[in-house]
Amino acid sequence: AQSVTQPDIHITVSEGASLELRCNYSYGATPYLFWYVQSPGQGLQLLLKYFSGDTLVQGIKGFEAEFKRSQSSFNLRKPSVHWSDAAEYFCAVGRNRDDKIIFGKGTRLHILP
Amino acid sequence: DSGVTQTPKHLITATGQRVTLRCSPRSGDLSVYWYQQSLDQGLQFLIQYYNGEERAKGNILERFSAQQFPDLHSELNLSSLELGDSALYFCASSVASGGAGELFFGEGSRLTVL
């Protein structure tokens, strides 16, 4: 079965600094990969997704992620964070387009002013 | 606003009781998913329905059941409630039979079992 690991439970960065959130997946073939964001008191919103093709994927709110098959990773990045980016971020994986989505345990991002 | 509506937003009940959580998917979406979010377990997939039929089952307890009605809304029934069932329950919908397109999440139903 596929699984997702987000090794960092909490990350704190200063406003304006760059960000990288780590995600590792376990699955034999190329999975469908996602990053979702959950703001306080809200449901989850899709930031970006990767199915195939270019391994660098652009998403909403200035986020991007890079798929690295050799490292089984799909890390999320942003060049300069804003205070409004404080939220919880979830990496997720599906085996194919018809499969359920399995989520990692999330990384809570804190922003210092 | 994702277009997914969940009711109630908050629910407080006692151990041993039964509750029903309701979800209305986005207009046109045929799939409904239920997830349970707790501090220790994270976001756990419970069950998925597609156009009225059960499509996939995850870590759903036997005390829990769900269904999707002909109008595509879904209900999650939780019975013989235990303290550990306290959690945020999310419903999500998608147009496809799987989640590989995009899942649209409701704001959740927060269940507190006392």
Side-chain angles (χ1 to χ4, degrees), chain B:
Chain B
D1 182 7
S2 67
V4 178
T5 303
Q6 288 188 247
T7 57
K9 291 191 185 304
H10 301 275
L11 190 56
I12 302 174
T13 188
T15 54
Q17 295 299 304
R18 172 189 171 96
V19 299
T20 297
L21 310 180
R22 181 187 170 101
C23 170
S24 294
R26 284 190 329 154
S27 176
D29 283 359
L30 300 178
S31 277
V32 169
Y33 308 75
W34 287 98
Y35 287 86
Q36 178 193 57
Q37 186 179 37
S38 60
L39 285 176
D40 54 342
Q41 295 294 321
L43 200 61
Q44 295 283 310
F45 169 73
L46 296 179
I47 197 164
Q48 179 207 351
Y49 281 84
Y50 176 72
N51 204 20
E53 295 190 2
E54 183 182 303
R55 183 70 185 228
K57 188 177 278 191
N59 301 322
I60 187 166
L61 300 172
E62 286 192 8
R63 300 183 286 108
F64 296 0
S65 65
Q67 59 185 120
Q68 187 179 28
F69 294 87
D71 66 352
L72 301 178
H73 91 271
S74 178
E75 293 182 356
L76 179 66
N77 299 296
L78 314 175
S79 62
S80 303
L81 286 168
E82 302 175 358
L83 296 177
D85 297 328
S86 295
L88 192 53
Y89 292 84
F90 282 109
C91 169
S93 72
S94 70
V95 64
S97 60
E102 176 175 352
L103 296 184
F104 293 87
F105 281 80
E107 294 187 355
S109 292
R110 182 170 295 282
L111 172 66
T112 302
V113 182
L114 300 176

Side-chain angles (χ1 to χ4, degrees), chain A residues 32 34 36 38 41-46 49 51 88 90 96-105, chain B residues 33 35 37 40-43 45 55-57 88 90 96-103 105-107:
Chain A
Y32 286 63
F34 310 83
Y36 281 80
Q38 182 181 22
Q42 301 294 314
L44 282 73
Q45 180 186 20
L46 181 68
K49 58 188 178 185
F51 295 164
E88 188 147 22
F90 293 89
N96 52 60
R97 69 169 292 111
D98 293 324
D99 194 26
K100 60 185 180 294
I101 304 300
I102 301 299
F103 287 82
K105 293 199 171 186
Chain B
Y33 308 75
Y35 287 86
Q37 186 179 37
D40 54 342
Q41 295 294 321
L43 200 61
F45 169 73
R55 183 70 185 228
K57 188 177 278 191
L88 192 53
F90 282 109
S97 60
E102 176 175 352
L103 296 184
F105 281 80
E107 294 187 355

